[in-house]
Structure formats: structure tokens, C-alpha cells
Amino acid sequence: MVAVLGSAGRLIRRHWLLSVLVLAGVVLRVLSWFAYQPALLFVDSFRYLGNLGEFNPSGLNPIGYELFVLTPLLAVGGLELVTAVQHVAGVVSAVALSALALRYGVNRWWAAAAAAPLLLDGYQIQIEQLIMSDAWQQVLLVALLWVLLGTGAPSPRRAALAGLLVGMAVMLRLVALALVVPILGYLLIAGGAWRLLRTAPGWRTVGLRIVAFVLACGAVLGGYATYFHAETGKWGLTRTTSQVLYGRAAVIADCDTLELDALLERACPTEPLDDRRRLDDYAHIQREKGFRDRFPPGTDLYQVQREFGWTVIGQQPLDFAWAVTVDFAKGFRPTRVDAPGDVPVSRWQFQREFPNADRELTKDVAQEFSGRDPTTVPGLAAFLRGYQLSVGYMPGPLLAVFGLIALAAALGVGRARTSGVRSAIALALGMALTMLILSAAFEFSWRYQLPALVLLPFAGVLGIRAFRRRPAASVPAGSEWQWQRRTTWLPDR
């Protein structure tokens, strides 16, 4: 025991900055857990909890959160156990991210910086206190980075494990489908295999990785799609795509110039183009009787919304591209504020009183799953809100700087060209960009920016390490740089 404590003490002293950040992150999470009992609840929370045991895949969200998280945890505890485990997972993910950076030769200070956003960002802590799937998708992002990068170029077995993780991530939030693109790109270049594509060994190395990834990911998503078909009679993963596609199209549709058939004309918003409602309102417009009454009885509104969305995008591609670009750029603003038409940022902020989307339903859910009324500790809630709104968030320009450094390093600018970590940087940066762009393609929300806290700082500190690498001749034997060169840049053997 004395030896273990001594080793722990030396580890803490050696990584004192990370230890301080972890302590601060733990304290903030403990305060959050006590401030809002049994858990923070949002509209989506009621949908998740209401679907337990039924596992109906036709709702707004995939059913992975209910299957993988809520069902096993609620079998042994209440909502407070769910949030406690989510907070622990957040801290462990941050430490794992820092450890992976260290493995790639990043110095201890920058490795701690990679973990700081996950540990200290108030929006991250708030989402962990919510009964929502987002925190677990971030856990899977960290797991994917470790599986693909942790021990050099990925073997087919690790590529298959990555495929399983991507499938699970899609079952939590559909936007994770975007991860397929950068991961396939990484499997193509990892370990310098792209240099050997003119040879049989090169094709075998790349081919086995890609096939293993595709088969594993396809097995998970194919199984889920089959279940979706059995329950709904249609092939797919979710019906949400039709709604968010319609929402995106509705706010830009120039109904006076669009060429639409009689049915799609009824889907056009009645408000003038310059006086449209929020995108989020149109995404959920199916719930409004006035919208449903526009169509003949028996009309498949999901199909109408999907066709309307694609028609608008096809006829107004520049308007669509500009809207997506604007929403993508919003995530890099200095402060987290609302722009016209945004989902209110207040949804993801700590409140001084227990937030009640539906007071009676909130009380009923808290009683059903935790046997208590929802409560708030006013002093702790006020402190958390003050922290979150003042210094407790990652500034968007700093995320952009991390991203630009990573981009320059991935492109091989300067010393980064021979650093041996360009493929790892490209993977993390590609995962961030594809997820953020796909999210922006449908709707901007500060909630959807949280994956950037995992990926962009990590990619950025790897980029800094790439630019600061010393020449090979000056690297001492057994250094982390030489380990990196042996295991990550060279092809599998």
C-alpha cells in the first residue's frame, strides 16, 4: 500500500498541472450533482425515459442511450446514478485524452491543455448532469482515438473495434455517421501504408483494415436498420432526418421561385422569407395541427418533408451552402450567445432554479425513477451559473486556433512534414470537421459543438508537437519521438 501511494504521489507531482485540472473538474461536477437532484431533465430526456422497455426506434432519437446506458444503470439505481456515472466518464475521458497526447510526444503542459476543455467547460458539465446521450458520444470519440491511435498504425482487429464503436455512436446520435469518412481516410494512410499502395503488401494492409472496419460498422448499423424496419415497416435508422432536413430547407426556401408540385407547395412556409420562424420550429412543425391540416388524410408527412428538403437544396444550392457555412462559423464565436433563429443557448446553461420544461411531468419522472421531487440548491446553482457564464467555457477563437494549427501540421507545413504524426492529426481534425459540418448542415446548437471540445484541442496540441520536433539526429535513444516513428509512421508488420 505504501509503495502504491508513493507511486501515485510521484505521478501527481510529475503531472501536477493535469492533477490540478482534474481536481477542479471533479469539484465542479460534485457541485453540479448536488445542485440539481436527481438530474437535469430536458424535453429529450422525457423521450428517452418514456421509451424504456418499449425501445421504439421511430422517435426523434436513436435508441442507443436507452439500451446502453439507461437500462443497465436504472436497473441498479436512480437518475442520480446515471448522472454520477456520466460525470465520472467525463473526467476519465479527459485523462485518457491527455494520456494519449503524452504517448504522442506532447509535453506535459500541452497534454494537460488538451484535457482542460473537457474538465472545465461548464457546458460540458451541464450536459453530463442532463439525462441526454451527448456525454456518451464524447466518451466514444475518445475511445475511437485510443483504438485507432493508441499503439501505432491500426491492425484489422483494431479497425474492426473502431467500426463497432462508430456503430454504437450512431445509435446514440445519428451525426456520428460523419465519422466514417475521416476514419476510412485514416485507415488508408496510417503507418505510411499509402506509400506502398503500388505493392501487394500495401494493398493487403490497407484492404484488411478497411474491410474489417466496414464489416463491423455495417453489422451494427445493418442490425439496427433491420430492427427499425421490423418496427416501422421502413428501412432506415431514424425519422429525424426528414424533420431536420425540412427545417433547414424551410428557413431558406424562396417559395415564389421554386418549382414544386401541388403537394410540396403545401409544405412551403406561409411566412414571408424575411420573417421566417426558427429552424427548430420548422423541424418540429409536424406537431402543429395547422401544418398537418394542409395535407390530404393519409399523407406521409415524413416523405413530404424529405422531398421538400431535397428539392429546395437542389434548386437553391448556394443559399443552402451559405446557411451551412454561417452556422458552422457560429461555433467559433468568442462568447456563447444567440443569433437570430438559433436554438436558445439558455437550454444548455445552469439555471438558478430547477429548469422545468413541463413542471408536472418533471416531478412525475423524478418520482418514478428516483422516488423524490426535483430540487435545487440555490447557492450552488448560482455559483455554477456564474462560473459558466463568465470564465467557464472554451472560447471559440481558441478552438479555431487549435484547428488551424492542426490543419497546417496535417498538410505538412515546415517541420511537421517529417514529424511522424500527421496522419494522427488528420484523423482527429477530420473527425471534428465532419461532425461539426454535418451538424451545421441541419441546425446550429451550442449543444452540437461539444464534440469540438474533445477533438480540436487534441489535434491542436499534436500539431504544436509536430512543429516543435527536434531533428532526428538530436533525439536521444529511447525517446518518445523515436517510439512514435517506429510505431505510428511505419506500416504494420
Side-chain angles (χ1 to χ4, degrees), residues 70-84:
L70 293 181
T71 296
L73 291 180
L74 291 176
V76 296
L79 298 177
E80 50 271 85
L81 176 62
V82 176
T83 56

Side-chain angles (χ1 to χ4, degrees), residues 1-7:
M1 179 61 70
V2 174
V4 171
L5 292 176
S7 298

Side-chain angles (χ1 to χ4, degrees), residues 218-360:
V220 176
L221 298 184
Y224 186 73
T226 301
Y227 176 73
F228 186 91
H229 181 267
E231 293 292 313
T232 67
K234 297 182 181 296
W235 289 100
L237 299 174
T238 179
R239 288 183 171 177
T240 309
T241 306
S242 299
Q243 295 173 257
V244 293
L245 188 63
Y246 176 79
R248 169 56 73 190
V251 296
I252 64 171
D254 187 350
C255 298
D256 294 330
T257 61
L258 286 170
E259 297 180 6
L260 304 172
D261 61 33
L263 190 62
L264 293 186
E265 281 185 357
R266 303 182 183 211
C268 241
T270 57
E271 300 85 2
L273 185 58
D274 295 332
D275 195 29
R276 295 280 163 85
R277 298 156 61 183
R278 293 186 320 197
L279 189 157
D280 197 52
D281 294 335
Y282 290 113
H284 297 92
I285 201 170
Q286 273 204 37
R287 295 179 295 186
E288 299 180 10
K289 186 176 184 297
F291 179 78
R292 297 195 302 270
D293 288 346
R294 299 183 200 174
F295 303 93
T299 300
D300 185 344
L301 295 184
Y302 292 106
Q303 179 68 22
V304 170
Q305 288 181 309
R306 182 165 53 253
E307 290 184 6
F308 179 83
W310 286 119
T311 300
V312 171
I313 292 172
Q315 296 185 30
Q316 297 181 230
L318 295 181
D319 293 331
F320 171 73
W322 176 248
V324 173
T325 301
V326 169
D327 277 2
F328 173 77
K330 287 177 181 178
F332 301 101
R333 289 175 289 181
T335 57
R336 300 192 183 183
V337 295
D338 291 332
D342 285 354
V343 174
V345 68
S346 59
R347 293 182 182 179
W348 322 119
Q349 292 173 341
F350 291 113
Q351 305 298 323
R352 290 185 175 86
E353 297 181 354
F354 199 98
N356 290 300
D358 184 317
R359 185 176 297 274
E360 289 303 316

